[in-house]
Amino acid sequence: MKCTVCKGPAVIDVRRHNANFCAEHFLRLCRDQVARAIKDFDMLGRSDRVLVAVSGGKDSLAVWDILLGLGYQVDGLYVGLGIGDYSDSSGGFARAFATERGLHLVEVDLPTDHGFDIPTGARAAKRVPCSACGLSKRHLFDEAARSGGYDVVATGHNLDDEAAVLFGNVLHWQADYLGRQLPVLPARHGFPKKVKPLVRLGEREMAAYCVLRGIDYIVEECPMAAGNKHLGYKEALNAIEAQSPGSKHDFYFGFLDRGSHRFTPDAEVEQRDLGPCERCGVPTTGEVCAFCKLVARATAVPVELGRRT
Ligand code: SF4
Ligand SMILES: [Zn+2]
Ligand SMILES: [Zn+2]
């Protein structure tokens, strides 16, 4: 197998591009794809202070590494979710990455700072863990970006993630979610701008990027993910991609080009009704935001104990 660019020995094939790459040209491809996503979607400016949400996994550490390589000013944010050994271990990878490279890592810990962990919060709120986790992370990313004066929050969502979310949203015709499923969400209502610079790169490519760059990441999956719908959608799309390389890319980018704007009015209906949460002040559709409701449920002492706070 030869590198399509230099004809030297290739280390990876990317069927979507019908091409093989040596280490040097594969790393260049990854950087070029991120640079292109940033340019095409107007994600980042040179003077922006960027906070990248890192989980200790391959995607978020890779996006931090690539953005630094492209010359952006980027700090990391690690949110401890209290998911047992998994959180201890993932935090260790995020800290080691930052320490070895002399980078600044902001840390927030859900159990220490808000008094509950994801398994407890999910049980108390009768939500599936990933739903409690997702809303907590969104809130904590916003809060950390605002208090640290960052302009943009970047996340490591890759093409596989975005195609799977789109698949789920289409399957259930979640019109408001479809209207908001963009690689860039502009800053508004006090929320920082959100960007997904890895949308042009797949999961397998990010794992290869980390190996080639010597980035140690947590390989183990979050134990809460087992059986969630998102994984099922990914498997379904992987089966389609194996038959027809490039399908995920066409599905997602075809939606952005031709479908997304049709759902903008659905997303805007919700945006119009936003007011400040009476507990924390973030914009919300109700009186109290979803995160403050989750905190209240997760930290309430059961009435039968007679010590309700
Ligand atoms: S798999 Fe679910 S619970 Fe685990 S980190 Fe991801 S969103 Fe959170
Ligand atoms: Zn090459
Ligand atoms: Zn709130």
Side-chain angles (χ1 to χ4, degrees), residues 28 49 81 100 116 121 149 177-178 183 214-215 226 231 236 238 247 284 300:
R28 188 185 294 176
R49 288 187 65 224
L81 300 164
E100 282 162 16
F116 71 99
Y177 289 171
L178 286 167
I215 297 172
L231 286 185
N238 284 343
S247 295
T284 176

Side-chain angles (χ1 to χ4, degrees), residues 33-282:
Q33 293 293 331
V34 170
R36 180 163 169 199
I38 291 172
K39 182 166 175 283
D40 286 355
F41 298 105
D42 195 15
M43 289 184 178
L44 301 174
R46 285 288 161 196
S47 60
D48 281 341
R49 288 187 65 224
V50 185
L51 188 62
V52 59
V54 289
S55 64
K58 61 187 186 322
D59 305 299
S60 55
L61 294 178
V63 76
W64 196 359
D65 190 62
I66 295 173
L67 291 179
L68 289 168
L70 292 172
Y72 291 98
Q73 308 170 50
V74 200
D75 291 337
L77 166 66
Y78 175 75
V79 174
L81 300 164
I83 305 177
D85 294 346
Y86 173 76
S87 287
D88 296 341
S89 166
S90 59
F93 283 99
R95 279 176 217 115
F97 180 90
T99 309
E100 282 162 16
R101 291 160 182 80
L103 303 171
H104 180 53
L105 182 70
V106 178
E107 290 207 45
V108 175
D109 190 64
L110 194 60
T112 310
D113 301 336
H114 294 280
F116 71 99
D117 55 32
I118 290 299
T120 309
R123 265 196 311 276
K126 297 191 173 56
R127 281 175 174 267
V128 292
C130 293
S131 153
C133 184
L135 84 86
S136 300
K137 285 192 288 197
R138 279 193 295 280
H139 183 93
L140 297 171
F141 294 170
D142 284 341
E143 199 174 77
R146 287 196 301 177
S147 67
Y150 292 93
D151 303 295
V152 190
V153 171
T155 54
H157 295 97
N158 59 38
L159 176 60
D160 293 62
D161 296 320
E162 292 306 292
V165 171
L166 176 60
F167 192 61
N169 286 340
V170 168
L171 212 52
H172 302 290
W173 291 113
Q174 303 265 30
D176 52 339
Y177 289 171
L178 286 167
R180 272 180 279 141
Q181 206 197 330
L182 297 167
V184 175
L185 291 176
R188 58 179 159 187
H189 302 301
F191 286 111
K193 184 177 183 180
K194 311 259 177 57
V195 302
K196 297 172 182 172
L198 297 186
V199 286
R200 300 188 59 85
L201 291 161
E203 208 147 85
R204 178 170 163 267
E205 286 129 55
M206 295 338 295
Y209 179 90
C210 287
V211 171
L212 293 171
R213 289 281 294 159
I215 297 172
D216 281 334
Y217 62 90
I218 185 162
V219 175
E220 180 194 326
E221 288 279 348
C222 170
M224 302 275 129
N228 79 10
K229 287 183 186 160
H230 188 69
L231 286 185
Y233 299 149
K234 276 190 172 175
E235 279 169 22
L237 288 172
N238 284 343
I240 296 170
E241 183 79 15
Q243 293 287 325
S244 175
S247 295
K248 284 181 207 173
H249 178 278
D250 290 351
F251 179 49
Y252 178 63
F253 285 94
F255 166 73
L256 293 182
D257 278 348
R258 297 192 290 280
S260 153
H261 64 280
R262 295 166 199 249
F263 296 94
T264 308
D266 296 282
E268 278 174 352
V269 169
E270 199 173 304
Q271 291 289 323
R272 268 206 310 269
D273 300 331
L274 292 179
C277 165
E278 64 183 33
R279 299 203 183 159
C280 74
V282 306

Side-chain angles (χ1 to χ4, degrees), residues 3 5-8 21-22 25:
C3 172
V5 182
C6 70
K7 310 296 174 215
F21 297 95
C22 67
H25 289 118

Side-chain angles (χ1 to χ4, degrees), residues 13-26:
D13 64 315
V14 183
R15 289 181 65 203
R16 183 170 81 257
H17 293 301
N18 195 20
N20 309 315
F21 297 95
C22 67
E24 181 194 338
H25 289 118
F26 177 70

